[in-house]
Amino acid sequence: MDLDAKTGRKERGTRPTIEAYSEIIRRQLEADLSNSSRVGQQLDSTFPSRMLEAGERSRLSQEEIRDRLEDQRKRRARIEQITPLGLNAFIPLPDGDLTNAQRSVLELYLGDAEDKLNVFAPTVAKINMLEETVNARLLGKRLTISAGEGIVIRRDRDDERIPLTALSSGEQHEIIMIFDLLFNVKRGGLVLIDEPEISLHIVWQQQFIADVLKIAQLVGFQFVIATHSPQIIDGFWPQAQRLGPPTAPFEGAADGQ
């Protein structure tokens, strides 16, 4: 994939790219919800027979059951912030010891719930990184994502929603580029990024490679960056390769970085 940072605001037809990407993430969440519902229906239809086959055998201790229920509660709560699940999020457990039969049923329930939640895992991990990365850059604004509205930007001081096309070219450029890396690059791909410093604040430039490294680890791709900016290279001079006359100054190399 060749990611040309100079495009900034590409157009898909007559619709700004940032609005088109908002619709893409909304449709992805709708697809995840549909897939989770299908998985749930399949599991629910076989639950009684699997429960009878399991009998009163359980591999999980009471502590493990309670820990997994708490972990799933947190995961479900995060997913519910993004898209409505319509699943029972709370199972009251007795304070005392659980019987073997109770632990056996709960083990089956936990396994099924895990399968339903795992449908959302790849998308939610990318959404978390998109929000984290973009919100570390936006000043006085914050980005959130939901199944109903896609990408939403709100002003911190009054919670007023800001139209995506009202963002500065630099802000739109950053969101588009990070979205591309997270959602439009295939695992195992090679990404060529040309001059990412265009429209980027100096502070954003200094964090750029570190952020792309985290995204690449999550998605599973390799990347090469072409840049004229020493701020982009920042602390990665050992990995930099000069593409110019050998006698030309190479910022950072002289300092042994």
Side-chain angles (χ1 to χ4, degrees):
M1 177 180 181
D2 188 356
L3 189 60
D4 186 351
K6 294 189 289 294
T7 56
R9 277 189 62 205
K10 299 175 289 183
E11 300 288 330
R12 289 190 166 189
T14 60
R15 190 177 193 186
T17 299
I18 194 166
E19 291 185 349
Y21 281 8
S22 179
E23 179 64 18
I24 287 172
I25 190 63
R26 195 184 66 79
R27 290 201 303 264
Q28 178 61 55
L29 287 167
E30 287 180 350
D32 286 350
L33 191 60
S34 177
N35 289 336
S36 178
S37 177
R38 188 184 68 253
V39 170
Q41 290 174 0
Q42 293 171 347
L43 292 171
D44 292 347
S45 67
T46 61
F47 189 86
S49 61
R50 289 185 287 122
M51 184 176 63
L52 291 174
E53 291 174 4
E56 296 187 0
R57 301 186 305 275
S58 176
R59 298 166 297 177
L60 299 180
S61 67
Q62 296 188 64
E63 292 74 18
E64 289 172 325
I65 287 174
R66 295 181 189 276
D67 289 344
R68 286 184 62 179
L69 278 171
E70 176 60 17
D71 176 69
Q72 289 185 4
R73 183 193 67 79
K74 293 177 180 178
R75 291 179 59 193
R76 188 179 286 107
R78 173 54 182 150
I79 297 171
E80 285 276 7
Q81 290 177 337
I82 301 170
T83 186
L85 284 176
L87 300 175
N88 182 15
F90 177 70
I91 298 180
L93 296 181
D95 294 330
D97 293 340
L98 298 172
T99 67
N100 290 336
Q102 288 172 327
R103 287 192 290 115
S104 178
V105 172
L106 285 169
E107 181 178 348
L108 282 175
Y109 168 85
L110 288 167
D112 288 3
E114 195 76 17
D115 289 342
K116 297 172 188 177
L117 294 176
N118 282 344
V119 172
F120 297 93
T123 303
V124 170
K126 292 176 182 179
I127 288 174
N128 287 342
M129 186 160 290
L130 178 64
E131 290 185 354
E132 175 187 338
T133 305
V134 172
N135 287 332
R137 284 157 173 64
L138 294 179
L139 182 62
K141 312 179 189 76
R142 68 186 184 280
L143 177 149
T144 58
I145 290 176
S146 71
E149 299 180 297
I151 299 173
V152 175
I153 305 291
R154 295 190 182 278
R155 203 161 40 219
D156 287 340
R157 70 171 183 267
D158 56 10
D159 205 39
E160 186 73 19
R161 183 168 179 174
I162 302 172
L164 296 177
T165 52
L167 297 172
S168 71
S169 61
E171 290 168 334
Q172 291 188 51
H173 161 82
E174 188 76 352
I175 294 171
I176 289 169
M177 181 178 293
I178 294 171
F179 188 102
D180 269 329
L181 293 171
L182 282 166
F183 290 94
N184 293 334
V185 177
K186 294 181 179 180
R187 178 169 293 276
L190 174 63
V191 179
L192 308 180
I193 305 176
D194 185 27
E195 298 185 3
E197 61 267 24
I198 302 298
S199 298
L200 287 187
H201 188 279
I202 291 294
V203 175
W204 295 4
Q205 292 183 37
Q206 291 173 328
Q207 187 62 28
F208 184 78
I209 291 181
D211 286 337
V212 176
L213 279 171
K214 289 191 296 184
I215 294 170
Q217 184 177 23
L218 175 64
V219 177
F221 62 78
Q222 294 180 305
F223 63 94
V224 177
I225 297 174
T227 181
H228 297 282
S229 170
Q231 285 77 26
I232 287 286
I233 301 174
D234 199 37
F236 294 90
W237 287 100
Q239 290 77 37
Q241 177 66 46
R242 182 201 308 266
L243 297 179
T247 56
F250 191 48
E251 193 74 32
D255 300 327
Q257 296 185 39

